DNA sequence: CTGAAAGCGCTAACAA
DNA sequence: TTGTTAGCGCTTTCAG
């Protein structure tokens, strides 16, 4: 590893000058030719700053901690982490991801991260839950990811749940479905409430009455299949909006057993958690894509803006697939979901 | 953060004495009462070493890099990473996971990690592939995870693919299946070859002829379902060994369409990549569990033993579910897979 | 058995 | 405009 000392020697200047130049603090402090020379030598020698050494002095490690309960075990989280990592890399930070199983390991992991001088934390939960914040994180720069602070204090980045439900239901309406069922989640999470509201709003807008019999709230367990099965037979829906793709699987299974074909006899829209379905396996499923990558990216950008006390505006946005408008016409296609940013309440 | 300096002041000794004691290098160098006193004060004050500061002097950061191509995007990897993280934590290391999409980002990520003074690297691929090793990693302590070095130089930890195929097929034979199909992968990867060999060996051992018509090698794409469907109708197998659970899904779909019930009419064993199936969704699927957690754990333990030049024996093994023996009798159940450790060729 | 002192790579006052 | 110096927290000779 080439150090500033070596560059200083080669350039015939002192280390502090090199430090000034390489940190772009040389404006009006170092003669421009010297600065240029230093930069040249640094480039030539392939100098890479040693962030650990500088952290000792500055107290900034440029390390970010990403904490999630079980997120890292699910593919769902992959995109978020990828996006977070990309943002971190572009902004000159290193992301350390830890997934904690239970309450106890969480505190331990946080402590371990803090020993490494983490500059700030991302805290992620699955499926937009209301959540408390670990005490150890109170006094650190912090952004919640796909979660909402129950006290409304900590800033967060989360999906626009209402529009997920709204867009999905609109799509089914536009596809000509007459009886649209909602296969929801049994847990009291924000995602569930928001999506259900969106479903109702879309129905109302189309002048249709809400019918509670068309709604099944199920968990990820054995009886779920029976519940969906019962709904299938009792109500004979021709459209299904599913809370996630695990729920969509139940619909697929029921359809297969009844000789119904998805895409011809019934239409299904599921929110994509990447939990169950690969695209190739379920070609007829219309998925609402959660912008996981963007969620991760945005979260890190926001965290860094807090840490560096800089505006969020000038972060470079990654090239991303163009948002797909809500189309009339045949299924399937992708529906793009938007994100919400909740500001911190404390100024 | 409480520093050694403070402890030294409180104890009325110098920092170096504190350092000696807290690193357990005090034997015969520091009077035992003083040592005890220092330890007490450290505990009382809740002293945590600052690994970054010590790394400056020692050149060891106790940071490990975990690199994987796309592993982090798939749930498959979750267990590996969890295990790796656990081992790292127990051995006093911090694990930084980066997943690279393509070749270019890989080099960049490695460089970024190396700037943070990574002590060593884990390099993971999915499904046990033969792989080359990035040039930048040549001179670092390195262990391959679920992959095999094509040159046979770098040590690796990987599943025992042969036994996966063997155990799965045995299970189907013992369950009474007469015509056992193998739904394999189309890619030329070690996992595929090994599992197929295991399948053939189990058949041979049972005195059954290998029948190529019962084997379908498919990719994760649309035609796969047709291929499985064709096999279903042409050969009418009553047992299926599937390369992974994505392949098992095709079998489920085909069965559902034909009114066949898995667990009654046909038996299915799939290798568990957690890609498609949650246990609750496919109660009748017998899965060969890949010991992802253990693979991650073992890999890190091995890497650390290389870095610290210490024997692998005294690493504490995590409590793990007892291995399930191969049972005669009814399906379903779990089959446990063992791991192989390949030693480095260079002594 | 213990402490003083140097130094890891870098930054930030302060002098010059 | 540049260099000197001190110090971040820790480890490690080397004297005492």
């Amino acid at each position: 590893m080439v150090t500033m000392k070596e560059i200083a020697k080669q350039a015939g200047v002192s280390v502090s000058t090199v430090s000034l130049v390489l940190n772009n603090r040389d404006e009006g402090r170092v003669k421009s030719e010297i600065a240029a020379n230093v930069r040249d030598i640094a480039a030539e020698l392939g100098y890479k700053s040693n962030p650990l050494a500088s952290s000792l002095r500055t107290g900034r490690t440029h390390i970010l901690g990403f904490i999630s309960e079980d997120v890292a075990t699910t593919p769902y989280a992959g995109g978020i982490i990828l996006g977070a990592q990309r943002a971190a890399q572009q902004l000159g930070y290193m992301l350390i991801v830890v997934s904690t199983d239970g309450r106890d390991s969480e505190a331990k992991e946080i402590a371990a991260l803090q020993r490494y001088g983490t500059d700030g934390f991302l805290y992620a939960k699955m499926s937009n839950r209301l959540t408390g914040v670990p005490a150890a994180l109170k006094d650190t720069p912090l952004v919640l990811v796909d979660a909402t602070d129950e006290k409304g204090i900590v800033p967060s980045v989360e999906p626009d749940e209402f529009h997920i439900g709204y867009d999905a239901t609109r799509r089914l309406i536009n596809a000509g479905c007459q009886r649209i069922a909602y296969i929801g989640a049994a847990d009291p999470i924000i995602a569930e409430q928001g999506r259900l509201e969106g479903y109702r709003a879309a129905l109302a807008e189309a002048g249709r009455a809400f019918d509670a019999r068309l709604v099944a709230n199920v968990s990820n367990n054995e009886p779920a299949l029976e519940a969906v099965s019962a709904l299938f037979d009792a109500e004979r829906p021709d459209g299904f909006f599913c809370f996630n793709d695990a729920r969509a699987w139940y619909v697929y299974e029921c359809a297969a057993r009844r000789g119904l074909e998805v895409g011809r006899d019934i239409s299904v829209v599921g929110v994509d958690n990447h939990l169950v379905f690969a695209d190739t396996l379920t070609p007829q499923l219309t998925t609402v894509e959660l912008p996981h990558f963007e969620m991760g990216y945005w979260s890190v950008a926001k965290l860094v803006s807090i840490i560096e006390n800089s505006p969020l505006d000038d972060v470079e946005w990654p090239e991303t697939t163009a948002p797909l408008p809500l189309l009339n016409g045949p299924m399937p296609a992708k529906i793009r979901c938007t994100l919400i940013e909740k500001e911190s309440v404390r100024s």
Side-chain angles (χ1 to χ4, degrees), chain A:
Chain A
M1 278 288 84
V2 30
T3 72
M4 283 193 178
K5 204 192 228 170
E6 298 175 44
I7 297 176
K9 200 196 289 178
Q10 289 236 5
V13 296
S14 77
V15 232
S16 32
T17 304
V18 176
S19 172
L20 244 27
V21 172
L22 264 25
N23 289 311
N24 297 316
R25 299 182 180 291
D26 57 314
E27 198 152 50
R29 326 242 274 109
V30 178
K31 212 188 298 179
S32 60
E33 305 118 52
I34 294 197
N37 186 231
V38 167
R39 267 183 258 269
D40 284 351
I41 295 180
E44 194 182 325
L45 262 44
Y47 171 78
K48 298 287 173 201
S49 80
N50 181 335
L52 267 36
S54 70
S55 82
L56 209 49
R57 197 77 247 262
T58 61
R60 298 255 102 107
T61 52
H62 280 216
I63 293 176
L64 264 26
F66 185 110
I67 302 176
S68 61
E69 208 168 11
D70 51 357
V71 150
T73 335
T74 80
Y76 156 84
I80 297 183
I81 292 173
L82 245 36
Q85 211 166 257
R86 172 84 129 271
Q89 188 223 23
Q90 282 183 9
L91 297 170
Y93 281 74
M94 184 92 251
L95 191 76
I96 302 189
V97 182
V98 297
S99 54
T100 65
D101 31 1
R103 292 282 113 199
D104 47 339
S105 85
E106 184 175 270
K108 230 185 269 173
E109 296 286 6
I110 292 176
L113 278 171
Q114 280 171 334
R115 293 178 55 198
Y116 277 86
T118 334
D119 289 344
F121 285 90
L122 285 314
Y123 190 71
K125 292 259 170 171
M126 265 183 67
S127 303
N128 203 351
R129 292 165 199 282
L130 270 181
T131 185
V133 172
L137 260 32
K138 290 281 184 196
D139 301 317
T140 332
L142 175 63
V143 170
L144 300 187
V145 188
D146 200 12
T148 308
D149 179 18
E150 56 190 11
K151 299 207 179 121
I153 295 177
V154 181
S156 57
V157 174
E158 49 193 283
D160 186 342
E161 308 292 354
F162 176 87
H163 276 100
I164 290 175
Y166 178 82
D167 287 350
T169 309
R170 285 274 315 179
R171 176 66 65 97
L172 289 163
I173 292 170
N174 288 340
C177 297
Q178 295 302 318
R179 295 183 60 71
I180 301 174
Y182 172 51
I183 313 296
D187 319 283
I189 52 186
I190 289 198
E192 166 61 24
Q193 296 154 20
R195 292 176 198 179
L196 180 60
E197 279 170 33
Y199 164 79
R200 298 186 65 149
L203 287 182
E205 195 190 77
R208 305 197 185 175
F210 171 76
D211 183 349
R213 287 169 304 179
L214 280 166
V215 174
N217 289 107
V218 301
S219 301
N220 248 342
N221 55 20
E222 189 77 69
L225 186 54
E226 293 165 30
V228 175
S229 213
L231 176 62
F232 236 94
D233 293 330
E235 305 297 333
R236 304 204 171 276
D238 57 355
F240 291 84
F241 166 44
C242 304
F243 178 81
N244 63 10
D245 44 13
R247 268 87 183 169
W249 187 86
Y250 298 125
V251 175
Y252 264 71
E253 180 77 8
C254 288
R257 289 187 183 168
R258 285 163 181 77
L260 299 173
E261 200 174 300
V262 177
R264 191 191 61 196
D265 306 306
I266 63 172
S267 296
V268 183
V269 175
V271 182
D272 183 19
N273 276 8
H274 295 294
L275 188 64
V276 174
F277 290 101
D279 273 356
T280 52
L281 293 181
T282 57
Q284 296 303 321
L285 177 71
T286 296
T287 53
V288 178
E289 295 193 297
L290 287 179
H292 291 132
F293 184 93
E294 288 78 5
M295 195 148 66
Y297 194 96
W298 194 353
S299 305
V300 166
K302 188 163 177 60
L303 179 58
V304 169
S305 86
I306 292 173
I307 292 172
E308 300 185 347
N309 195 23
S310 62
L312 193 50
D313 312 325
D314 38 297
V315 309
E316 210 175 315
W317 200 249
E319 75 295 336
T320 172
T321 55
L324 291 166
L326 182 61
L327 298 172
N328 289 359
M331 320 268 287
K334 311 272 186 192
I335 299 174
R336 192 157 192 88
C337 155
T338 49
L339 291 171
I340 294 179
E341 184 188 357
K342 290 209 179 129
E343 273 306 327
S344 162
V345 163
R346 62 179 173 211
S347 70

Tab-separated table of all heavy atoms in Angstrom, chain A residues 104-141:
chain	number	residue	atom	x	y	z
A	104	ASP	N	-31.794	-10.408	21.233
A	104	ASP	CA	-30.505	-10.403	21.914
A	104	ASP	C	-29.346	-10.205	20.951
A	104	ASP	O	-28.447	-9.425	21.192
A	104	ASP	CB	-30.322	-11.703	22.702
A	104	ASP	CG	-30.678	-12.907	21.838
A	104	ASP	OD1	-31.408	-12.719	20.851
A	104	ASP	OD2	-30.231	-14.011	22.149
A	105	SER	N	-29.416	-10.929	19.848
A	105	SER	CA	-28.297	-10.830	18.918
A	105	SER	C	-28.238	-9.440	18.304
A	105	SER	O	-27.179	-8.969	17.930
A	105	SER	CB	-28.425	-11.887	17.829
A	105	SER	OG	-29.246	-11.459	16.784
A	106	GLU	N	-29.374	-8.797	18.239
A	106	GLU	CA	-29.408	-7.465	17.638
A	106	GLU	C	-28.504	-6.502	18.387
A	106	GLU	O	-27.665	-5.821	17.792
A	106	GLU	CB	-30.833	-6.928	17.617
A	106	GLU	CG	-30.956	-5.600	16.925
A	106	GLU	CD	-32.412	-5.166	16.823
A	106	GLU	OE1	-33.054	-5.515	15.824
A	106	GLU	OE2	-32.901	-4.483	17.739
A	107	ALA	N	-28.684	-6.452	19.686
A	107	ALA	CA	-27.883	-5.532	20.496
A	107	ALA	C	-26.399	-5.842	20.341
A	107	ALA	O	-25.565	-4.938	20.228
A	107	ALA	CB	-28.298	-5.638	21.961
A	108	LYS	N	-26.104	-7.131	20.304
A	108	LYS	CA	-24.707	-7.536	20.172
A	108	LYS	C	-24.120	-7.065	18.841
A	108	LYS	O	-23.004	-6.550	18.772
A	108	LYS	CB	-24.615	-9.065	20.275
A	108	LYS	CG	-23.570	-9.536	21.277
A	108	LYS	CD	-23.448	-11.058	21.251
A	108	LYS	CE	-24.367	-11.753	22.226
A	108	LYS	NZ	-24.386	-13.209	22.107
A	109	GLU	N	-24.895	-7.270	17.803
A	109	GLU	CA	-24.421	-6.888	16.478
A	109	GLU	C	-24.232	-5.376	16.380
A	109	GLU	O	-23.270	-4.887	15.795
A	109	GLU	CB	-25.422	-7.345	15.399
A	109	GLU	CG	-25.579	-8.848	15.289
A	109	GLU	CD	-24.382	-9.514	14.628
A	109	GLU	OE1	-23.391	-8.820	14.357
A	109	GLU	OE2	-24.440	-10.731	14.394
A	110	ILE	N	-25.159	-4.668	16.957
A	110	ILE	CA	-25.046	-3.212	16.929
A	110	ILE	C	-23.785	-2.777	17.662
A	110	ILE	O	-23.029	-1.930	17.175
A	110	ILE	CB	-26.284	-2.559	17.566
A	110	ILE	CG1	-27.512	-2.813	16.686
A	110	ILE	CG2	-26.070	-1.058	17.748
A	110	ILE	CD1	-28.803	-2.305	17.269
A	111	ALA	N	-23.557	-3.384	18.794
A	111	ALA	CA	-22.367	-3.034	19.568
A	111	ALA	C	-21.110	-3.334	18.758
A	111	ALA	O	-20.181	-2.511	18.707
A	111	ALA	CB	-22.346	-3.831	20.874
A	112	ALA	N	-21.096	-4.479	18.104
A	112	ALA	CA	-19.932	-4.844	17.296
A	112	ALA	C	-19.701	-3.807	16.201
A	112	ALA	O	-18.577	-3.375	15.960
A	112	ALA	CB	-20.128	-6.220	16.680
A	113	LEU	N	-20.786	-3.413	15.572
A	113	LEU	CA	-20.659	-2.421	14.507
A	113	LEU	C	-20.146	-1.100	15.049
A	113	LEU	O	-19.332	-0.423	14.434
A	113	LEU	CB	-22.009	-2.212	13.814
A	113	LEU	CG	-22.361	-3.245	12.754
A	113	LEU	CD1	-23.791	-3.083	12.291
A	113	LEU	CD2	-21.408	-3.116	11.577
A	114	GLN	N	-20.642	-0.743	16.211
A	114	GLN	CA	-20.244	0.541	16.770
A	114	GLN	C	-18.765	0.561	17.154
A	114	GLN	O	-18.128	1.604	17.117
A	114	GLN	CB	-21.138	0.905	17.956
A	114	GLN	CG	-22.471	1.488	17.477
A	114	GLN	CD	-23.478	1.680	18.575
A	114	GLN	OE1	-23.435	0.994	19.588
A	114	GLN	NE2	-24.406	2.608	18.370
A	115	ARG	N	-18.253	-0.599	17.513
A	115	ARG	CA	-16.828	-0.657	17.806
A	115	ARG	C	-16.008	-0.333	16.571
A	115	ARG	O	-14.884	0.133	16.662
A	115	ARG	CB	-16.449	-2.052	18.312
A	115	ARG	CG	-17.057	-2.359	19.668
A	115	ARG	CD	-16.701	-3.742	20.091
A	115	ARG	NE	-15.265	-3.957	20.081
A	115	ARG	CZ	-14.684	-5.148	20.077
A	115	ARG	NH1	-15.441	-6.228	20.071
A	115	ARG	NH2	-13.403	-5.264	20.094
A	116	TYR	N	-16.580	-0.619	15.428
A	116	TYR	CA	-15.883	-0.307	14.198
A	116	TYR	C	-16.155	1.132	13.761
A	116	TYR	O	-15.856	1.516	12.638
A	116	TYR	CB	-16.258	-1.295	13.097
A	116	TYR	CG	-15.445	-2.563	13.180
A	116	TYR	CD1	-15.838	-3.609	13.995
A	116	TYR	CD2	-14.257	-2.689	12.475
A	116	TYR	CE1	-15.078	-4.763	14.107
A	116	TYR	CE2	-13.491	-3.834	12.569
A	116	TYR	CZ	-13.901	-4.864	13.388
A	116	TYR	OH	-13.138	-6.002	13.481
A	117	GLY	N	-16.779	1.868	14.639
A	117	GLY	CA	-16.934	3.293	14.367
A	117	GLY	C	-17.914	3.658	13.277
A	117	GLY	O	-17.727	4.629	12.560
A	118	THR	N	-18.952	2.834	13.149
A	118	THR	CA	-19.958	3.099	12.129
A	118	THR	C	-20.461	4.539	12.174
A	118	THR	O	-20.763	5.054	13.233
A	118	THR	CB	-21.160	2.169	12.363
A	118	THR	OG1	-20.709	1.012	13.036
A	118	THR	CG2	-21.809	1.788	11.072
A	119	ASP	N	-20.574	5.146	11.003
A	119	ASP	CA	-21.029	6.534	10.950
A	119	ASP	C	-22.543	6.662	11.071
A	119	ASP	O	-23.047	7.724	11.434
A	119	ASP	CB	-20.586	7.185	9.634
A	119	ASP	CG	-19.088	7.420	9.595
A	119	ASP	OD1	-18.458	7.372	10.660
A	119	ASP	OD2	-18.554	7.647	8.495
A	120	GLY	N	-23.248	5.615	10.727
A	120	GLY	CA	-24.706	5.680	10.782
A	120	GLY	C	-25.310	4.320	10.485
A	120	GLY	O	-24.602	3.386	10.104
A	121	PHE	N	-26.614	4.219	10.664
A	121	PHE	CA	-27.280	2.930	10.505
A	121	PHE	C	-28.517	2.985	9.622
A	121	PHE	O	-29.270	3.957	9.649
A	121	PHE	CB	-27.711	2.394	11.871
A	121	PHE	CG	-26.589	1.844	12.698
A	121	PHE	CD1	-25.890	2.655	13.562
A	121	PHE	CD2	-26.232	0.515	12.595
A	121	PHE	CE1	-24.845	2.150	14.331
A	121	PHE	CE2	-25.188	0.006	13.350
A	121	PHE	CZ	-24.497	0.815	14.226
A	122	LEU	N	-28.684	1.933	8.867
A	122	LEU	CA	-29.965	1.632	8.244
A	122	LEU	C	-30.617	0.535	9.068
A	122	LEU	O	-29.933	-0.393	9.506
A	122	LEU	CB	-29.786	1.094	6.825
A	122	LEU	CG	-29.421	1.961	5.630
A	122	LEU	CD1	-30.266	3.213	5.600
A	122	LEU	CD2	-27.956	2.276	5.585
A	123	TYR	N	-31.915	0.650	9.261
A	123	TYR	CA	-32.616	-0.370	10.043
A	123	TYR	C	-33.820	-0.837	9.233
A	123	TYR	O	-34.741	-0.063	8.984
A	123	TYR	CB	-33.045	0.230	11.380
A	123	TYR	CG	-33.558	-0.768	12.382
A	123	TYR	CD1	-32.700	-1.661	13.002
A	123	TYR	CD2	-34.909	-0.810	12.716
A	123	TYR	CE1	-33.172	-2.569	13.926
A	123	TYR	CE2	-35.391	-1.721	13.648
A	123	TYR	CZ	-34.513	-2.600	14.244
A	123	TYR	OH	-34.976	-3.504	15.169
A	124	ALA	N	-33.785	-2.075	8.811
A	124	ALA	CA	-34.820	-2.561	7.897
A	124	ALA	C	-35.697	-3.630	8.522
A	124	ALA	O	-35.242	-4.461	9.299
A	124	ALA	CB	-34.173	-3.119	6.634
A	125	LYS	N	-36.948	-3.566	8.176
A	125	LYS	CA	-37.901	-4.613	8.561
A	125	LYS	C	-38.588	-5.059	7.286
A	125	LYS	O	-38.646	-4.325	6.313
A	125	LYS	CB	-38.960	-4.043	9.508
A	125	LYS	CG	-38.409	-3.649	10.846
A	125	LYS	CD	-38.716	-4.701	11.869
A	125	LYS	CE	-37.938	-4.390	13.131
A	125	LYS	NZ	-38.314	-5.229	14.248
A	126	MET	N	-39.171	-6.225	7.321
A	126	MET	CA	-39.901	-6.652	6.143
A	126	MET	C	-41.328	-6.142	6.142
A	126	MET	O	-41.946	-6.012	7.189
A	126	MET	CB	-39.928	-8.172	6.037
A	126	MET	CG	-38.827	-8.719	5.145
A	126	MET	SD	-38.975	-10.488	5.014
A	126	MET	CE	-40.510	-10.653	4.120
A	127	SER	N	-41.842	-5.857	4.958
A	127	SER	CA	-43.260	-5.555	4.781
A	127	SER	C	-43.739	-4.360	5.577
A	127	SER	O	-44.831	-4.373	6.132
A	127	SER	CB	-44.127	-6.760	5.141
A	127	SER	OG	-43.764	-7.857	4.367
A	128	ASN	N	-42.952	-3.338	5.623
A	128	ASN	CA	-43.379	-2.077	6.200
A	128	ASN	C	-44.119	-2.214	7.523
A	128	ASN	O	-45.321	-2.031	7.608
A	128	ASN	CB	-44.274	-1.332	5.194
A	128	ASN	CG	-44.283	0.158	5.465
A	128	ASN	OD1	-43.763	0.605	6.491
A	128	ASN	ND2	-44.871	0.914	4.572
A	129	ARG	N	-43.387	-2.478	8.540
A	129	ARG	CA	-43.979	-2.586	9.862
A	129	ARG	C	-43.771	-1.310	10.666
A	129	ARG	O	-42.806	-0.603	10.463
A	129	ARG	CB	-43.318	-3.732	10.634
A	129	ARG	CG	-43.637	-5.072	10.074
A	129	ARG	CD	-42.708	-6.151	10.592
A	129	ARG	NE	-42.783	-7.280	9.696
A	129	ARG	CZ	-43.795	-8.140	9.717
A	129	ARG	NH1	-44.763	-8.026	10.582
A	129	ARG	NH2	-43.823	-9.145	8.856
A	130	LEU	N	-44.661	-1.102	11.587
A	130	LEU	CA	-44.422	-0.088	12.597
A	130	LEU	C	-43.386	-0.660	13.535
A	130	LEU	O	-43.512	-1.788	13.990
A	130	LEU	CB	-45.713	0.177	13.385
A	130	LEU	CG	-46.624	1.269	12.853
A	130	LEU	CD1	-47.818	1.405	13.768
A	130	LEU	CD2	-45.884	2.589	12.751
A	131	THR	N	-42.385	0.081	13.828
A	131	THR	CA	-41.359	-0.514	14.660
A	131	THR	C	-40.758	0.474	15.638
A	131	THR	O	-40.713	1.669	15.380
A	131	THR	CB	-40.234	-1.109	13.783
A	131	THR	OG1	-39.304	-1.773	14.630
A	131	THR	CG2	-39.517	-0.015	13.020
A	132	GLY	N	-40.325	-0.044	16.747
A	132	GLY	CA	-39.548	0.743	17.675
A	132	GLY	C	-38.104	0.703	17.238
A	132	GLY	O	-37.724	-0.109	16.400
A	133	VAL	N	-37.326	1.566	17.807
A	133	VAL	CA	-35.928	1.658	17.408
A	133	VAL	C	-35.050	1.231	18.585
A	133	VAL	O	-35.269	1.674	19.704
A	133	VAL	CB	-35.602	3.097	16.991
A	133	VAL	CG1	-34.130	3.264	16.753
A	133	VAL	CG2	-36.402	3.481	15.756
A	134	PRO	N	-34.084	0.358	18.340
A	134	PRO	CA	-33.202	-0.084	19.418
A	134	PRO	C	-32.558	1.109	20.120
A	134	PRO	O	-32.143	2.064	19.461
A	134	PRO	CB	-32.143	-0.901	18.685
A	134	PRO	CG	-32.791	-1.330	17.426
A	134	PRO	CD	-33.772	-0.271	17.064
A	135	ALA	N	-32.485	1.010	21.415
A	135	ALA	CA	-31.969	2.119	22.219
A	135	ALA	C	-30.568	2.534	21.774
A	135	ALA	O	-30.247	3.725	21.720
A	135	ALA	CB	-31.943	1.712	23.693
A	136	ALA	N	-29.763	1.537	21.426
A	136	ALA	CA	-28.378	1.829	21.074
A	136	ALA	C	-28.262	2.715	19.840
A	136	ALA	O	-27.230	3.317	19.575
A	136	ALA	CB	-27.614	0.522	20.847
A	137	LEU	N	-29.356	2.794	19.083
A	137	LEU	CA	-29.309	3.536	17.827
A	137	LEU	C	-29.851	4.952	17.961
A	137	LEU	O	-29.813	5.747	17.010
A	137	LEU	CB	-30.120	2.781	16.758
A	137	LEU	CG	-29.350	1.923	15.760
A	137	LEU	CD1	-28.108	1.321	16.376
A	137	LEU	CD2	-30.239	0.838	15.202
A	138	LYS	N	-30.342	5.267	19.127
A	138	LYS	CA	-31.017	6.543	19.333
A	138	LYS	C	-30.155	7.741	18.950
A	138	LYS	O	-30.632	8.719	18.404
A	138	LYS	CB	-31.431	6.679	20.809
A	138	LYS	CG	-32.560	5.736	21.214
A	138	LYS	CD	-33.925	6.247	20.770
A	138	LYS	CE	-35.014	5.308	21.308
A	138	LYS	NZ	-36.302	5.492	20.633
A	139	ASP	N	-28.894	7.663	19.298
A	139	ASP	CA	-28.060	8.854	19.143
A	139	ASP	C	-27.161	8.805	17.912
A	139	ASP	O	-26.141	9.473	17.857
A	139	ASP	CB	-27.208	9.045	20.401
A	139	ASP	CG	-28.092	9.187	21.632
A	139	ASP	OD1	-29.094	9.901	21.533
A	139	ASP	OD2	-27.774	8.564	22.651
A	140	THR	N	-27.541	7.963	16.976
A	140	THR	CA	-26.747	7.830	15.761
A	140	THR	C	-27.593	8.278	14.577
A	140	THR	O	-28.807	8.161	14.625
A	140	THR	CB	-26.383	6.349	15.522
A	140	THR	OG1	-26.336	5.688	16.778
A	140	THR	CG2	-25.087	6.214	14.790
A	141	PRO	N	-26.976	8.750	13.524
A	141	PRO	CA	-27.735	8.949	12.296
A	141	PRO	C	-28.391	7.635	11.899
A	141	PRO	O	-27.747	6.590	11.911
A	141	PRO	CB	-26.662	9.363	11.282
A	141	PRO	CG	-25.597	10.009	12.110
A	141	PRO	CD	-25.594	9.233	13.404
